[in-house]
Each structure stands twice: as C-alpha cells, then as structure tokens.
Amino acid sequence: MAEFEPVLSRNWNVTDGHTLKVYESRGGYQAARKALTTLDPDKVVGIVKDSELRGRGGAGFPCGLKWSFLPKDRKETFMCVNGDESEPATFNNRILIEKDPHQFIEGILIACFATKANTAYVYLRVEYFHAYKVLEAAVAEARAAGHLGKNIYGSGFDLDIWLHRGAGAYICGEETGLIESLEGKRGWPRIKPPFPAIEGAFRKPTVVNNVETLCCVPHIIERGAEWFKSIGTPKSYGPKLYCVSGHVNKQVCVELPLGITCRELIDKHAGGVWKNRKAKAAVPGGISMGLLSAEELDTPLDFESLRKPGCLGLGTAAVTVMDEHTPIIDYLYNCARFFAHESCGQCTPCREGTGWLYKMLKRIKAGGGRLEDLDIMANMANNMGIMPGTTICGLADGAAWPIKNGVAKFRAELEEYIKTHQDPAYGATTLQAAIAKGAYAVPHNGLPPVINSVPTAGALRSPHSA
Amino acid sequence: MAGETTTATPMLTEAIREKIRAYIPRYPSKRAVTLPALHIVHEYFRCVPYQAMAEIAEILEITPAEVHDTMSFYGFFPQAPIGDVRVWVCRSISCMLRGGEDMLNHACHRLGIHPSETTADGKLTVDFAECLGICDFAPAAVADDGRMFGPLTPEKVDAMIDELKQERKD
C-alpha cells in the first residue's frame, strides 16, 4: 500500500492555515469551483455515493445515500451541520474548525450545492468559544471573496451560512434534537419517521451532516471516489481523525486510514501508555461505544470490526486509554453520571434508567454494593435504548453499552470490589435486620406490629450476606 | 396576554433589541431566534431574568412560557447573575482519569465556594462540565471568554484562578 498522505489535517501545521489567503494558495476552493462550474448536483451526489463515505459523527450512515433520500420535487432544502461535538473524549471537529475553517466551509458549499440547499446552519456547541470566533471570521472572509453569497462563481447557486450556538446540551448532537434546538425549542429528539430528509428543520427537507464528514467532501471531488476507496478497510473507506486521550504519554488527534488497530494507535501515535504502565482497557470511540479489554486492543478501529468484541461501533473514533491501576468502577461511575446528567428526560426508560444506574454505581462505589446489583444493571442496560425499542433516540443505548461491556468483561473485578469495599454505614438497620431474621418489630406506641408474617427467604438481604 | 411586557420600564435596551431583531431574517421562523436572543441577553446581564424572557417573547411573538421552556432545558443560562468570568472544569472520562475532579475540588476549595457558585467579589464563577472537547489538554478547563487551560495541576489551577480574576480577554 502506498504511504498514507494526510489530507484533512494537511493545513494544521501551516502558518496562518486558518486564513483564506493561505488556504487558497494551497489549492483551496478549487474543488468547490470544479463542482459548481463543471458538475451538476446529481453528479456530485453520485461521486460521494460512489466513494462510500460514511458519516463521521457516530452512526456511520452512508453520506451520499442520505443525500439521495431528499424528495426529487422539493422546493427548499436546509443543511444543518452538526458541530455539537459533545461525546466525551472527542475533539476532532474542534480542531478541524479552529485550524482549517475554510476546508470546512468548502465542504459545506459543495454539500449544499449537491443537495440544492441555499441555507446552511452550523450548529456549534457553546463551549467552543474559540472555534466560534474563528469560524465566524472565516465565513465573513469567504463571503467577501465570493465563495458564499449570491451567484457563486457565476453558477447561479446561492448560499448563506449561519452559525447557531447551542447552550450546553449533549442531546442536541442527535440530529432531530439538533433540529428542535435550532427551531428554538428544547432539544428533544423527534420520533422517526419522518426522517429529516423528508421533514426536518422548519418542516422542510433537511440534511444533517457532521463537520468531519463535510471536510472529506472537497477531497473526494478533487481526487475522485476511487482515491477515497483506496484508503481504509472494506466498508470503511477514507481517512479518519482519531483522538487519543487519557492515560497516554501524548494526547493527540491524528489523521490515519480507517481500520488502524487500537494498539497501534496507542503505541505508535500516542507515545504508549503513560508512566511505563500497561493498558487495562480502552474506550474505542466515545464512551457510548463500550469498552475494549487489554486482550482486545488489536481490534481494527473501523465501522465493522468493533462489533466482534461487543462494542456498539466506531462512534467518533475517540480512544480513551485506562492504565492497569484504574478501577473499572470509576469508569462505570463516570459514564453513568454523564448519561444521567445528559438524558433529556423525554423517554421514561432513559430518564429513569440512567438515573438508576448512576445511583446504583454511586452506592457501589461508596461501599453499599450488593452482588445482585451487577445482574440488575445488566438487565436494565439490556432494556433501555433504540435496540430494545424503548426509547426515541440512541442516548440510552450509549448509556447501556459501558454497563454491558463493563459488567461482562470485568465482572470478577467488580464482584471483588463489592466484597472488599463494604461500608457499615450501608448495612441493614436494626429494624431491617430484625425483619430479615423473621422477628417482627413491636412499636412502642401500642400500634399493631409493622409486619405480621415471616418474610420469604431473601426478601431483604443485607450487603454482608452477599 | 401572551408576550406582554409586565412592567413599565423595559429591561432590554433598544440596542439589545436591535441585536436580537438582526437575527430574525436568518430563519424561517421567529421562534428560532430564541437561543441567539438568550445568548445576547446572557452576554449583557450575565444571567437571564424572567422579565428579559418576557421581553424576548414579545420581540419573537411567542409566549414567555415558550422562552422559559427552552431556556430552562439548557444548562448554560443562569437565573441569577454569575461572575465576570465563568470557568468550567471538566469532569468527564479523559479528564477524570488524569485528575480532573481533584482540580475542580482544588479550585473550589481555594476560592471557598462549591461548583456552580460565584466568589464573593463577583469576579469568578466555577462550574463543572461534561466533556469540553479539549481532551488533548486533559485535565482541562475553559473560560467563557475562550481561554483554555490544561493539562492542569494544582499549581496551574492556582495560576489559572489568578489570571481569570484579572479581567476578561474577549
């Protein structure tokens, strides 16, 4: 295989790479010019479809296919760019916007031309203060230079890009949650169908694409679908920005062909596990995707391979490494706390389920765990989410996966933790112990006894009986 | 009546109203300006009081309840004024693994406040955050003027606090 040439990150280390002047001097906006002046929209959709570019935001849905779902007879189309990157440990979109905003704008321009959208909204999470400023300046620059606005390159195509800031809600990264939020409402995901391609923002046909997905588009137009498909592994083509953080020597975002193994990513590109320690586990792509144990680190990080070790998928390809000293309970607790905090509260199994998981893990961590808690958590995890069909969006699946993987892959450690971390404060009260023994309590105030029969075996167990 | 301002003196100045109205042509519905309007008001008052919500509602021709519904869903908008600078210290997975929660506790302990509270001099609000997306600098923090801090150590947290208490950088 020919040596891999980074394209998405090629301007990152260039001085003033974020300016229009430098971007244009390095061949910028040529792909957009080519698309707008020599190709028709359907041809662009066809090229992207042929490249088999899959969405980089998490779900991995084929981008060209998504565009082709738009109704043929539509009058108006909206483009919503999902820059609400909030999946823990993911930061590639932020760097893409901060370091090379014009590549991103060119991607939006080509995608809007292909989908005949004359308005694009970039939904950017509010925490990206710097990225917002950089992008705002870049859009103004592009507009002044005629890359945006009316009759771009004399093609008759008009495009306006508006930046829209979120306000700190993870759920707005879900495409229909994003649309609701854009419309000025709370970010509650919508029941699908209708999918956004048919009825999305402001009830018009809408395309929702991730920042990195759109950044791939100019390169596909410039170099062709065959070039794109020459990179990566079957069904997972093209370059990908991998983020590595946690217990590694060098926390980085690096561009590599899809399908690199988790071990190679850690050892070769992130400088290995810190403090000369060994990896205990790694999160493959944002915490929603589950957990790889140390033995599974040779799994290729692509859209297909991660199902084998029981992970949900590639997600955002943001790897978090945990060293051998990390208690798995800390990982599970952190994940559960995140999802309990970020559940939007619309569907009961998610709102209550994420809260229960958080409370249980908090109790276990504090020394009040019971062995049966592990099965209860696994059972809950199996019953919340789109897959068991109990919620509208995938947040609950993401909340369930760390629990499922963690309990299945590290059960012995969790049982050991529960047994060796018992705090007497969580023990049975005198009354509970008396009831568990079958003795019934006689109140002092002369009222009838609180129970009048012997409880069944195991009806109430103290943590010490486990 | 829906959207009617309740007091004689309006809270939002004409300049702020003009700033909000400038967003209206960008969207097919006025309601879509809710979040931009909340951001504008928040930037000015460092909080979003009820009366401001009612006045936003009037401008956007929706009900105050609709503005409040949206406002209260998001974690960003406080009801009472926050400090001149708000800083978020991340507690999500990558930062947690590298001591993010200790950094948050250290910052709060040094300032004598709890997370989400403001110092008595009104200069600094410290809050926890779920993933700030700057994991390459974990454990990290970001201030609402755009300054990023990391990888943090207790000493760097002290330096960060001193720097943030000086003035905003935007």
Side-chain angles (χ1 to χ4, degrees):
Chain A
M1 201 174 92
E3 182 147 339
F4 174 69
E5 180 205 343
V7 290
L8 297 172
S9 58
R10 68 192 188 102
N11 293 332
W12 287 5
N13 294 318
V14 176
T15 315
D16 290 333
H18 65 282
T19 59
L20 179 64
K21 206 175 126 201
V22 174
Y23 185 69
E24 280 182 333
S25 74
R26 294 173 58 82
Y29 288 108
Q30 290 306 316
R33 212 173 275 274
K34 176 178 161 187
L36 267 67
T37 55
T38 66
L39 304 172
D40 66 51
D42 290 342
K43 178 83 178 128
V44 178
V45 175
I47 295 170
V48 173
K49 221 170 171 177
D50 290 343
S51 75
E52 295 184 39
L53 166 65
R54 293 175 68 167
R56 270 30 177 170
F61 195 82
C63 178
L65 195 60
K66 199 183 222 181
W67 291 357
S68 65
F69 289 157
L70 292 163
K72 291 273 169 287
D73 57 350
R74 64 189 185 277
K75 303 267 183 307
E76 201 177 2
T77 316
F78 288 114
M79 165 67 71
C80 293
V81 188
N82 189 340
D84 193 59
E85 181 175 70
S86 314
E87 182 68 27
T90 311
F91 50 96
N92 53 359
N93 290 356
R94 187 197 95 233
I95 299 183
L96 275 170
I97 296 172
E98 283 178 3
K99 296 207 177 172
D100 200 355
H102 286 286
Q103 169 180 253
F104 174 43
I105 293 170
E106 186 174 3
I108 299 173
L109 173 54
I110 300 171
C112 286
F113 175 71
T115 55
K116 299 175 189 162
N118 297 113
T119 310
Y121 298 105
V122 179
Y123 191 100
L124 201 62
R125 66 180 301 203
V126 68
E127 290 85 349
Y128 285 180
F129 299 101
H130 183 59
Y132 179 78
K133 283 180 210 160
V134 171
L135 190 58
E136 209 176 27
V139 168
E141 242 184 338
R143 190 168 295 156
H147 299 299
L148 299 173
K150 298 266 176 245
N151 191 18
I152 302 163
Y153 312 137
S155 63
F157 177 71
D158 305 337
L159 176 64
D160 280 319
I161 295 181
W162 303 117
L163 273 53
H164 190 97
R165 276 188 295 174
Y170 172 73
I171 194 61
C172 295
E174 201 278 344
E175 59 176 2
T176 54
L178 184 150
I179 290 170
E180 286 283 303
S181 178
L182 177 73
E183 291 182 1
K185 304 175 211 161
R186 51 168 78 182
W188 272 11
R190 293 177 181 169
I191 294 171
K192 291 176 268 192
F195 287 92
I198 309 298
E199 194 183 303
F202 310 106
R203 308 200 68 176
K204 294 286 192 298
T206 301
V207 185
V208 186
N209 278 144
N210 172 263
V211 174
E212 189 184 343
T213 313
L214 293 180
C215 287
C216 290
V217 172
H219 302 289
I220 293 169
I221 298 303
E222 192 185 323
R223 298 164 190 238
E226 283 311 308
W227 161 81
F228 195 77
K229 287 186 75 174
S230 71
I231 301 165
T233 53
K235 292 191 179 173
S236 302
Y237 302 112
K240 178 80 190 85
L241 292 169
Y242 288 95
C243 302
V244 199
S245 56
H247 291 160
V248 288
N249 282 316
K250 202 171 96 190
Q251 304 188 99
V252 285
C253 176
V254 56
E255 182 180 354
L256 295 164
L258 267 170
I260 186 168
T261 67
C262 193
R263 196 181 299 283
E264 196 185 341
L265 186 65
I266 297 167
D267 292 343
K268 206 169 147 193
H269 301 282
V273 182
W274 74 348
K275 300 177 182 172
N276 286 319
R277 290 179 185 167
K278 287 197 198 73
K280 175 180 191 167
V283 177
I287 57 172
S288 301
M289 296 299 126
L291 193 65
L292 290 170
S293 66
E295 299 75 45
E296 293 161 345
L297 291 181
D298 288 310
T299 310
L301 297 173
D302 63 29
F303 291 109
E304 304 296 321
S305 309
L306 281 160
R307 304 242 167 83
K308 209 172 135 223
C311 294
L312 190 51
L314 178 67
T316 56
V319 172
T320 303
V321 182
M322 284 171 256
D323 72 19
E324 55 200 326
H325 295 282
T326 314
I328 286 299
I329 186 77
D330 285 2
Y331 155 77
L332 289 177
Y333 172 75
N334 191 281
C335 294
R337 182 177 66 183
F338 175 82
F339 289 109
H341 187 257
E342 296 299 344
S343 173
C344 79
Q346 185 173 201
C347 310
T348 311
C350 175
R351 181 185 65 242
E352 302 301 318
T354 53
W356 278 356
L357 288 169
Y358 170 51
K359 282 183 208 160
M360 282 175 98
L361 282 156
K362 193 173 180 179
R363 174 167 52 75
I364 295 171
K365 196 167 140 68
R370 303 171 202 134
L371 288 177
E372 58 265 36
D373 286 342
L374 299 179
D375 290 324
I376 294 170
M377 288 196 300
N379 185 292
M380 280 166 65
N382 283 328
N383 286 295
M384 52 195 266
I386 298 185
M387 288 181 197
T390 57
T391 59
I392 292 172
C393 87
L395 186 139
D397 298 85
W401 235 264
I403 306 288
K404 281 190 208 181
N405 282 180
V407 171
K409 294 176 187 181
F410 291 91
R411 190 175 189 109
E413 183 190 320
L414 291 168
E415 287 185 355
E416 184 62 26
Y417 182 92
I418 292 172
K419 283 181 193 159
T420 55
H421 289 73
Q422 285 294 329
D423 183 339
Y426 282 92
T429 60
T430 316
L431 176 63
Q432 285 174 329
I435 293 168
K437 276 195 207 119
Y440 52 90
V442 182
H444 301 298
N445 54 9
L447 292 169
V450 282
I451 54 166
N452 53 16
S453 63
V454 177
T456 53
L460 195 144
R461 269 178 282 177
S462 88
H464 301 287
S465 66
Chain B
M1 200 184 105
E4 194 176 322
T5 309
T6 45
T7 51
T9 14
M11 192 166 194
L12 306 185
T13 61
E14 190 48 38
I16 297 177
R17 287 161 186 267
E18 205 39 61
K19 236 174 154 181
I20 294 171
R21 282 194 287 261
Y23 275 82
I24 293 174
R26 297 186 181 189
Y27 305 92
S29 87
K30 284 190 176 177
R31 190 176 180 179
V33 183
T34 306
L35 271 183
L38 288 167
H39 277 299
I40 291 166
V41 169
H42 174 262
E43 211 164 276
Y44 191 80
F45 292 106
R46 306 294 288 159
C47 65
V48 186
Y50 277 108
Q51 197 192 326
M53 275 184 257
E55 290 177 31
I56 291 172
E58 196 183 11
I59 298 167
L60 303 182
E61 293 169 15
I62 53 179
T63 65
E66 285 170 313
V67 179
H68 182 259
D69 182 85
T70 302
M71 189 283 284
S72 58
F73 179 80
Y74 301 91
F76 188 80
F77 306 108
Q79 293 262 283
I82 51 167
D84 299 340
V85 178
R86 174 159 45 160
V87 65
W88 289 271
V89 183
C90 181
R91 66 172 194 182
S92 284
I93 189 85
S94 294
C95 288
M96 179 278 282
L97 288 170
R98 296 173 74 109
E101 298 191 34
D102 298 337
M103 297 309 130
L104 176 64
N105 291 337
H106 180 83
C108 289
H109 186 253
R110 158 122 192 246
L111 295 165
I113 56 173
H114 294 104
S116 308
E117 288 179 358
T118 304
T119 54
D121 59 8
K123 282 194 171 157
L124 189 60
T125 302
V126 180
D127 216 335
F128 69 83
E130 297 296 358
C131 197
L132 293 168
I134 35 179
C135 322
D136 40 351
F137 296 105
V142 71
D144 61 358
D145 57 5
R147 277 180 282 178
M148 297 180 212
F149 301 89
L152 294 173
T153 58
E155 295 74 40
K156 285 188 184 163
V157 171
D158 291 338
M160 172 183 89
I161 289 172
D162 294 338
E163 195 187 323
L164 290 174
K165 277 194 147 194
Q166 299 297 316
E167 57 175 342
R168 288 181 71 87
K169 289 272 163 67
D170 57 355

